[in-house]
Amino acid sequence: MKPLKLLSIVAFVFCVTCNADVKNYEAGMSDKPTSELVFDKTKWETKDGRKYPYRDKMVNDVVYNDTIRTLQKPQILNLFGEPDRSNENYIYYLIKQERLLFWPLHSKFMVVKFSEDSSVEWIRIHQ
């Protein structure tokens, strides 16, 4: 397969898998997206190979949960486990990832940003 044709296929798949319709949480939000599953710590931590089979079904229950937003960083880490990535005041939990062989085409993360006092500043879905 010619490199240009392969690049065109990869670009097409990437464009099709992108989703810009993610609503970020705002205080007093009345039209919160529904979740297929209620958060369950055991299911959240379940991993099948590289995939987390339940996280995408329960991520809205976490992101739009007012109680979780009142927790401190140690409580968040205890609730969700070790993040897949962290950087200064941010932690990242992989929700799902679509791959083409070894290359990630589309990744969906739940990102938690903490204030200087370790309280949750915001929780968002990043795609």
Side-chain angles (χ1 to χ4, degrees):
M1 185 178 283
K2 293 184 179 183
L4 186 57
K5 188 173 184 178
L6 179 61
L7 182 61
S8 298
I9 292 170
V10 170
F12 172 76
V13 170
F14 180 75
C15 290
V16 169
T17 61
C18 286
N19 180 0
D21 297 333
V22 176
K23 289 184 176 182
N24 288 319
Y25 176 88
E26 295 175 19
M29 218 175 157
S30 61
D31 61 338
K32 298 175 185 178
T34 57
S35 188
E36 289 180 52
L37 291 175
V38 174
F39 175 77
D40 176 291
K41 183 179 172 90
T42 303
K43 287 183 178 179
W44 179 267
E45 294 176 339
T46 301
K47 192 170 185 181
D48 183 15
R50 292 183 176 179
K51 297 180 178 186
Y52 294 97
Y54 301 105
R55 286 187 178 182
D56 196 38
K57 295 175 182 173
M58 65 178 72
V59 71
N60 285 341
D61 191 50
V62 174
V63 173
Y64 303 99
N65 187 309
D66 292 325
T67 304
I68 290 174
R69 293 171 173 282
T70 65
L71 302 176
Q72 297 290 311
K73 187 174 185 178
Q75 295 168 306
I76 293 285
L77 292 172
N78 184 48
L79 185 61
F80 299 119
E82 278 299 309
D84 294 283
R85 205 170 81 204
S86 62
N87 180 0
E88 295 178 18
N89 291 336
Y90 298 86
I91 58 174
Y92 302 81
Y93 291 95
L94 180 64
I95 303 303
K96 71 177 186 176
Q97 188 172 66
E98 295 165 14
R99 299 170 100 34
L100 178 63
L101 301 174
F102 300 106
W103 297 282
L105 296 176
H106 177 257
S107 298
K108 182 177 183 179
F109 284 90
M110 180 180 78
V111 184
V112 182
K113 181 180 181 192
F114 297 99
S115 300
E116 293 301 319
D117 66 355
S118 292
S119 63
V120 173
E121 189 170 318
W122 51 254
I123 303 173
R124 294 188 180 153
I125 298 170
H126 177 72
Q127 304 192 73

